[in-house]
Amino acid sequence: MQSRFGSDRRLTVRMTVTLFLLGLLYVVFIAALIVLLKSWVLVVVVAAAFLGAQYWFSDRIALFAMRGRVVEREEYPELHGVIDRLCTMADMPKPVVAVSDMDMPNAFATGRNPDKSVICVTTGLLRRLEPAELEGVLAHELSHVAHKDVAVITIASFLGVIAGLIVRFAFYSQLFGGGRRDQNTAVIFMAVMAVSAAVYAISFMLIQALSRYRELAADRAAALLTGRPSVLASALTKVSGDIARIPTKDLRTAQAFNAFYFTPALGKEPGLARLFSTHPSLEQRLDQLARISAELGEAAAPGKA
């Protein structure tokens, strides 16, 4: 089903280019492994199993990892009401609704397609945001579902998973494998580790760049769907400010899932960290929303919520 979020050509082009470059990198990587190793098939099979599990069960894995639970309308009628309204506006199926009992204000969407998706919000987010701000955040997450961002990122990350596993396999085999080792074996293992580490680094940077743009695309789609970019900007500012006040030690567990979140659990964002972030900076997101607000003429009613 085609939702009313519409296609984002720039997002589609960037996703296509990133997947093409990752595919090309993958071909080179496998060719190098064929030359260097005879046992690479096992690692690829294991990595493919991980990819399949992540793709088919991503919704359950994410909910379990982030302590989310499915909630019915009777328990959270206002949350269900907002999602019902947005899904009607966007002409898309309603996802499963979940709540995570966490004080950190955030939300995420997961699932391989719009028919198998979940939107989860934290109790911290529900407590802090006004209804209109919550609507903006949920529209952002629904855009991820409509554009199948989770599936694309899962597929794109496949190469990085393989490369990371091979680095570990080569390292621990060399360290704990025992037996007689000759100089040629050591050279081969070092070459495998070097190639895998390089592939992992390149794929990581490509995926992070794609992820940052996908967040900007979701902000834009949400702003256009609701017609109130200033309200989404208000939610972004409020959530980012509250997260920045949470001690870093309390954010460490959540940081493993930053790629899923509406805004990353980074606390105070160091300048260098932005190069490796899954999200664009708050300033970039607010600047884009300000431009959209001007395009829509929303400046005429800046306080509207």
Side-chain angles (χ1 to χ4, degrees):
M1 178 183 292
Q2 180 66 44
S3 76
R4 289 178 186 163
F5 275 108
S7 61
D8 185 321
R9 290 185 179 180
R10 288 177 294 180
L11 178 62
T12 301
V13 168
R14 292 200 182 206
M15 283 183 169
T16 302
V17 170
T18 300
L19 290 175
F20 172 78
L21 291 174
L22 286 169
L24 183 62
L25 194 61
Y26 178 75
V27 170
V28 174
F29 182 44
I30 292 300
L33 286 181
I34 291 172
V35 172
L36 293 170
L37 276 183
K38 294 181 180 180
S39 60
W40 61 271
V41 175
L42 177 61
V43 178
V44 173
V45 169
V46 171
F50 277 117
L51 173 70
Q54 185 180 355
Y55 180 77
W56 287 101
F57 304 110
S58 60
D59 51 349
R60 300 177 197 177
I61 294 171
L63 276 181
F64 175 79
M66 288 178 264
R67 295 178 289 167
R69 62 183 181 87
V70 175
V71 296
E72 301 300 331
R73 183 182 302 276
E74 293 74 20
E75 192 174 359
Y76 284 89
E78 293 181 4
L79 176 60
H80 272 270
V82 173
I83 293 176
D84 283 337
R85 184 167 63 254
L86 288 170
C87 287
T88 299
M89 292 167 61
D91 191 21
M92 62 184 292
K94 181 181 178 180
V96 172
V97 180
V99 170
S100 173
D101 187 16
M102 296 173 62
D103 184 58
M104 182 189 69
N106 231 316
F108 68 88
T110 185
R112 62 185 183 272
N113 59 54
D115 293 315
K116 297 289 184 181
S117 61
V118 178
I119 285 188
C120 182
V121 298
T122 67
T123 52
L125 186 80
L126 294 174
R127 187 169 61 254
R128 288 173 171 88
L129 295 190
E130 299 296 326
E133 293 171 333
L134 178 63
E135 181 182 69
V137 173
L138 292 173
H140 170 103
E141 297 304 329
L142 281 172
S143 170
H144 283 315
V145 172
H147 291 129
K148 300 178 179 152
D149 286 349
V150 174
V152 171
I153 291 297
T154 298
I155 294 169
S157 64
F158 179 44
L159 180 59
V161 170
I162 292 178
L165 285 174
I166 288 180
V167 169
R168 289 171 177 80
F169 171 77
F171 177 78
Y172 288 115
S173 294
Q174 181 72 7
L175 192 61
F176 302 115
R180 187 171 54 86
R181 301 216 184 277
D182 56 32
Q183 188 174 2
N184 288 338
T185 302
V187 170
I188 289 174
F189 270 99
M190 291 301 296
V192 169
M193 289 184 68
V195 171
S196 299
V199 168
Y200 180 80
I202 296 170
S203 62
F204 176 81
M205 296 300 292
L206 286 171
I207 292 167
Q208 299 304 82
L210 174 60
S211 181
R212 288 193 294 271
Y213 187 81
R214 139 190 111 94
E215 293 299 329
L216 287 173
D219 282 348
R220 180 173 182 82
L224 293 177
L225 181 70
T226 63
R228 293 187 287 186
S230 65
V231 174
L232 180 57
S234 173
L236 261 172
T237 303
K238 188 179 292 185
V239 170
S240 299
D242 283 355
I243 289 178
R245 287 191 285 273
I246 298 174
T248 302
K249 63 182 178 62
D250 295 333
L251 293 176
R252 282 175 186 158
T253 300
Q255 286 173 353
F257 307 104
N258 274 343
F260 287 95
Y261 285 137
F262 169 65
T263 190
L266 291 177
K268 293 181 179 178
E269 197 174 84
L272 186 60
R274 294 181 181 181
L275 296 175
F276 307 102
S277 178
T278 55
H279 291 60
S281 68
L282 177 62
E283 292 78 10
Q284 284 179 285
R285 297 176 77 174
L286 294 180
D287 285 348
Q288 176 184 245
L289 290 171
R291 290 194 299 271
I292 298 171
S293 183
E295 291 171 11
L296 297 178
E298 196 194 21
K304 188 177 180 180

